[in-house]
Amino acid sequence: MNPTPPPPPRAPPAPVPETACRDCPLRPLKLFHEPTGEELELVQSLKRRERRLVPGEVLIHEGQTDAPLYTLLQGWAFRFKTLSDGRRQILSFLLAGDFIGVQQKMGDAAAHGVETLTDALACVFQRDALWELHRRSPMMGFNVTWLTAHEESMVDDTLLSVGRRSAEERIASLLILLFKRAGALQLDAGAGGVAFPLTQQHIADGLGLSLVHTNKTLRKLERHGLHRIAEGRLYLRDVKALARLADLYGDGRPPPRPLV
Amino acid sequence: MNPTPPPPPRAPPAPVPETACRDCPLRPLKLFHEPTGEELELVQSLKRRERRLVPGEVLIHEGQTDAPLYTLLQGWAFRFKTLSDGRRQILSFLLAGDFIGVQQKMGDAAAHGVETLTDALACVFQRDALWELHRRSPMMGFNVTWLTAHEESMVDDTLLSVGRRSAEERIASLLILLFKRAGALQLDAGAGGVAFPLTQQHIADGLGLSLVHTNKTLRKLERHGLHRIAEGRLYLRDVKALARLADLYGDGRPPPRPLV
DNA sequence: CGACGTCTTGATTAAGTTCAAAGTTTGTGG
DNA sequence: CCACAAACTTTGAACTTAATCAAGACGTCG
């Protein structure tokens, strides 16, 4: 079917100074709820350390039993599952502000792996942070539920794509969705495109397509002037046409969401 | 691509006596956590009423903005999304004990529809029950997060299937998974098979396949003696072979989970 | 330079879709 | 209890999309 080569290994990260939650680089983005001082303190108290990662580094191994909780502070990553013969499906892409590891419910084995696409920085929380969050702040607990539900609805979208959209449609919708997410995180909106660290293999694995067919479809859309990917950036040339292809409805800015 | 005919309409349900949470028919199944008296009272206080449903009835419409929260007490249902030309993807199947509606985050439009497969009974909760649950019982809030994460991990599994498994493999894994879930809910284990209300169209829509190909693949597996579906029941004849096909690992009983 | 990872393209093949048509089961009303 | 309609299942045949196979081009890094 569709095996995927093993991820590229690289040198381990060097130690770095820590960021205080109150100085979290993500807060100024007004993409998130304004936390109270108490909430900030609570999160800070649960944060164990930071972890700096290089591209292709595995944050959580499939089947790992003791994975901690993370919040991605910088960079891109993705969640994935693999079949025993190597076929891989990327379940979702993770960007700054995404919460990682709620799925491996309590002491259970991680049902999916997490790997970085770029250099990245992640907050590491102690294993019982999830419970502490709920126990000590119902609001933060509620936020975690919200984030988890939000994450699920992104997987729902992908499942719709992979199950029912053609290759062209899948790619169009992925490009639009990632463009929006990445755009929301960078100060200057879409003008000069957004950073786009995926290889075609990642796109293929995220959409249930083969590498070759992904390439051909991507080229076709590009030839028709719908988009362009160059030097690690994505430019949408004809959002209308892409949206039409993708059969995407909603377009409003995403509502503010919690940050843990 | 793959349009789906509209769901069959039927007469509206008649009013019925309500069930008290403390007499919840699901509790005895020891499939769920043992709730404290307080928790039971809390849930009871948030429960508004019950809703009895016939097969093919829509519990939540795609895009509906004021959908309440439900817990499915009896029967089967499924969550789905539809493309504007009618192609439909079933996102997950819902069985007794499943919590419905967490995804439509707070006052937002439901991103997916929910429809029954059988006669069903659902507990209806007031709209702010999600928050009340968190606020008044961190443990119940935590349970909601757990359930949401669990639900996501089921979608993850389906995405792996639809993205990377062949038709045979997809069907094998769906049959096994549903067999386990349904089996866990009926007192007598798999001996005589489990109730199985899906039509081939539902299987197709759940696996991203066409109806015709689903039928052919199903027949093939049946001819090879792997399973049998008859009179609305599913019998697994060769679980080993099915599991091998599906490339399924874990087999232990599912851990007890919360019931809200 | 050579090795490796990524992208690109053409040719061939296979899995799955679409079309068409019967056959079967189930529910309804007379 | 029968007749009929509707929904569901089954099968064959033609067609299409996407996978697989095979090479080559390009770029980066040691």
Side-chain angles (χ1 to χ4, degrees), chain B residues 16-248:
Chain B
V16 254
E18 306 273 309
T19 319
C21 288
R22 131 183 99 270
D23 303 327
C24 181
L26 293 176
R27 302 273 172 209
L29 277 179
K30 68 181 67 130
L31 197 55
F32 303 96
H33 291 151
E34 201 55 60
T36 67
E38 268 181 27
E39 287 168 352
L40 222 44
E41 242 177 77
L42 170 56
V43 175
Q44 178 75 67
S45 77
L46 296 171
K47 177 172 171 178
R48 280 296 88 103
R49 57 195 187 84
E50 278 170 23
R51 187 169 161 192
R52 196 162 283 276
L53 302 138
V54 296
E57 190 168 348
V58 174
L59 249 168
I60 299 180
H61 289 87
E62 267 180 289
Q64 182 177 344
T65 54
D66 57 347
L69 246 41
Y70 299 94
T71 286
L72 195 54
L73 278 189
Q74 281 174 30
W76 292 55
F78 61 90
R79 302 191 305 116
F80 65 95
K81 272 175 170 267
T82 317
L83 256 21
S84 59
D85 65 357
R87 281 175 282 172
R88 176 174 80 173
Q89 177 66 41
I90 291 182
L91 304 168
S92 62
F93 293 97
L94 304 169
L95 275 70
D98 285 336
F99 199 43
I100 302 176
V102 188
Q103 292 83 0
Q104 67 248 17
K105 41 260 167 156
M106 333 310 22
D108 221 3
H112 60 260
V114 177
E115 184 179 319
T116 53
L117 284 165
T118 64
D119 284 311
L121 183 60
C123 283
V124 183
F125 296 100
Q126 57 192 69
R127 295 278 263 79
D128 65 350
L130 213 47
W131 165 240
E132 285 303 310
L133 233 32
H134 279 85
R135 187 174 72 78
R136 292 161 60 183
S137 164
M139 178 55 95
M140 293 300 282
F142 185 76
N143 286 343
V144 171
T145 296
W146 191 97
L147 282 173
T148 308
H150 177 68
E151 164 85 21
E152 175 181 341
S153 87
M154 289 199 299
V155 182
D156 285 350
D157 285 337
T158 305
L159 181 53
L160 172 64
S161 269
V162 174
R164 290 304 186 212
R165 283 198 251 244
S166 70
E168 278 191 17
E169 296 167 337
R170 287 181 218 186
I171 289 188
S173 71
L174 180 71
L175 293 184
I176 292 186
L177 261 22
L178 286 182
F179 186 89
K180 274 196 205 164
R181 289 179 64 194
L185 285 168
Q186 60 179 35
L187 294 299
D188 59 54
V194 299
F196 191 78
L198 314 207
T199 66
Q200 295 184 354
Q201 181 70 66
H202 293 121
I203 298 178
D205 285 349
L207 296 177
L209 294 169
S210 71
L211 173 58
V212 172
H213 194 57
T214 298
N215 176 278
K216 287 174 179 168
T217 307
L218 227 24
R219 295 295 343 272
K220 178 146 101 170
L221 296 187
E222 189 167 336
R223 259 201 316 281
H224 289 4
L226 299 205
H227 80 286
R228 179 161 165 64
I229 295 175
E231 296 120 41
R233 298 189 75 75
L234 164 65
Y235 307 83
L236 298 193
R237 289 280 185 66
D238 188 345
V239 186
K240 272 282 176 57
L242 283 169
R244 213 176 315 121
L245 248 187
D247 190 32
L248 243 39

